[in-house]
Amino acid sequence: MQLKDFPLSITVAACVTGAALVANVFAAPNEQAKPIDLSELQAAEEKRFAAADTDGDGLVSAEEFAALGPRELSAGMRLQGDRQGPGREAVRQRMEQRRAEIEERLAKREKRRREARTRDFETADADGDGQLSADEYSDMPATVSATRQREQFARLDENGDGVLTPEEFPSRVDRLRALDADGDGLVTRDEMRTGRKR
C-alpha cells in the first residue's frame, strides 16, 4: 500500500465499522445487540476496495476514487437487513409504541385534572346548588386546602384515633426506603424508575 492510498483505507474501514455500530444501535431493545463480525467487515471492505480498483493494480488512484459514486462507495455497508437498513422497521415500531404510551399518559393526566377540578368545585359549592357564589368563589382556595388537609390526615391516621403517631407521620425516608430494592441504603435512578411504575 502506498502513502496516497492510506486515507482511502481509513475511510473505508471507518464506514464499515460505522455501519456495524449503527446496526447494533438500532437493534430492538429486547433483542441482544449482535457482536460485530470482523471477518464479515473485512470481506466487505475488500469487496469495496476491489470494486474501486478498476485497473486491478491493487491501488486506488485519485481518478478511480473520484469515479466512485455514492453507491459504489457504500456497497456492502449494509451487513444485514433490507435496503432500508437493519432495524428501521423495529425503530419505527418502537417510536410508535412510545408515542402511544405518551399520549395515553397525557390523557390519564388530563382526566385526573378534570376530576380534581370537579372535586374542587363541589368542595367549594357549600350550598350544593351547582353554582359558585362570589363568597364561595373567594373562599374556594381555603376551603379546598382545608378539605385536602383533612383527607390527607384521615389517610395517615391508620388506626383512626384522631392523632398521628411518629410511625403514622409522613416520612420521606420511609418512602425512599421502600424504593431501595437491594437494601444498600442508596436509591439509584433505576430503583426510582421501578418504584414509580409500581
Side-chain angles (χ1 to χ4, degrees):
M1 181 185 299
Q2 294 182 359
L3 186 59
K4 69 177 183 172
D5 303 311
F6 186 70
L8 175 63
S9 60
I10 288 177
T11 303
V12 170
C15 290
V16 172
T17 305
L21 292 173
V22 167
N24 276 329
V25 166
F26 285 110
N30 295 338
E31 298 175 8
Q32 237 181 3
K34 295 180 181 176
I36 297 171
D37 183 348
L38 296 179
S39 62
E40 190 177 334
L41 292 177
Q42 181 68 37
E45 182 177 323
E46 289 170 4
K47 183 178 175 182
R48 262 192 314 285
F49 188 86
D53 181 18
T54 55
D55 62 9
D57 66 353
L59 304 169
V60 175
S61 67
E63 292 81 24
E64 289 171 324
F65 186 78
L68 292 175
R71 283 191 178 191
E72 292 84 9
L73 192 57
S74 63
M77 293 278 288
R78 300 192 205 296
L79 302 177
Q80 55 184 337
D82 61 2
R83 191 167 187 271
Q84 291 185 356
R88 178 114 359 144
E89 181 61 25
V91 169
R92 188 188 64 72
Q93 288 175 353
R94 283 196 310 274
M95 288 174 65
E96 285 179 7
Q97 180 182 0
R98 181 74 176 133
R99 187 176 301 121
E101 289 170 358
I102 290 170
E103 287 173 3
E104 181 182 351
R105 200 166 44 236
L106 290 173
K108 285 181 180 177
R109 184 181 301 161
E110 182 56 32
K111 182 182 177 191
R112 284 193 305 266
R113 284 183 184 153
R114 280 195 309 269
E115 290 170 350
R117 280 194 301 266
T118 301
R119 227 178 12 255
D120 291 349
F121 182 90
E122 290 170 354
T123 299
D125 183 16
D127 57 12
D129 65 354
Q131 303 175 48
L132 293 182
S133 66
D135 288 340
E136 288 171 331
Y137 183 77
S138 63
D139 292 342
M140 185 174 175
T143 304
V144 169
S145 179
T147 302
R148 286 185 183 164
Q149 197 168 19
R150 281 193 302 274
E151 290 170 353
Q152 184 179 12
F153 185 90
R155 278 194 307 272
L156 294 170
D157 185 15
E158 293 175 2
N159 60 8
D161 64 358
V163 292
L164 297 180
T165 63
E167 293 78 23
E168 293 172 322
F169 200 75
S171 167
R172 288 186 183 155
V173 173
D174 289 343
R175 281 185 282 182
L176 289 173
R177 190 174 289 130
L179 299 177
D180 184 14
D182 58 10
D184 66 353
L186 303 170
V187 178
T188 64
R189 181 175 292 168
D190 289 339
E191 289 171 330
M192 294 277 283
R193 287 181 183 144
T194 303
R196 258 187 255 140
K197 292 177 185 174
R198 285 190 231 152

